[in-house]
Amino acid sequence: MTNFLSFTGRVMGIEDFPIMTNDPNAGCYKLFSLTDRDGSIVNFVVEPTTYFVRHEKVRVGDIVTGYYDANAPVPLIYPPQYRAIVMAKVHSDYSVEVSFFNSQLLSSDGMLRLNPSRQTEIILENGQDFNGNPASRDLVVIYSVSTRSIPAQTTPSTIIVLC
């Protein structure tokens, strides 16, 4: 179970992030610098294992949300720098939620309950079908509408299981 937190902002820069000198993986790690509406800045280290929702390519100027593990160690620097687990472009036609969903498919913050239907696509990060139960797992959920109740309820279009 991962304790996900997020930061949403406009991508102000993308650059290579060397993890060691004479790095054989040079170019495989990136540093995304994001700025929100209030001018706060956060840097995300994007690794080869970072999941990009819908495998969308992110460019400077895009508005994205980066999700990271709130319990992971971070360097005490400014601006803060987090290891990105999931990156999602912000779109007006759908929403993304990344969270641990319990046995009742309720998000860890108690604000979203999933009601999957037969049309809900349940897949792995690599796009292959997931045939098990998505409950009690870390999930990326893509949905378009939800109720205004607390918790909000939705029938997602896609659930991505983070293994």
Side-chain angles (χ1 to χ4, degrees), residues 103-147:
S103 62
Q104 303 300 311
L105 291 175
L106 180 66
S107 62
S108 60
D109 64 3
M111 298 303 287
L112 185 65
R113 181 181 308 277
L114 306 181
N115 298 313
S117 73
R118 289 189 130 125
Q119 287 72 42
T120 301
E121 180 182 35
I122 303 175
I123 58 174
L124 297 168
E125 295 169 79
N126 62 13
Q128 300 305 303
D129 289 336
F130 178 78
N131 297 319
N133 184 347
S136 300
R137 296 178 180 272
D138 292 333
L139 305 174
V140 177
V141 178
I142 302 171
Y143 63 98
S144 57
V145 294
S146 65
T147 64

Side-chain angles (χ1 to χ4, degrees), residues 9 16 93 144:
D16 286 343
D93 55 335
S144 57

Side-chain angles (χ1 to χ4, degrees), residues 97-99 101 105 114 134 137-141 159-162:
E97 178 70 24
V98 179
S99 184
F101 285 83
L105 291 175
L114 306 181
R137 296 178 180 272
D138 292 333
L139 305 174
V140 177
V141 178
I159 296 174
I160 299 101
V161 178
L162 300 175

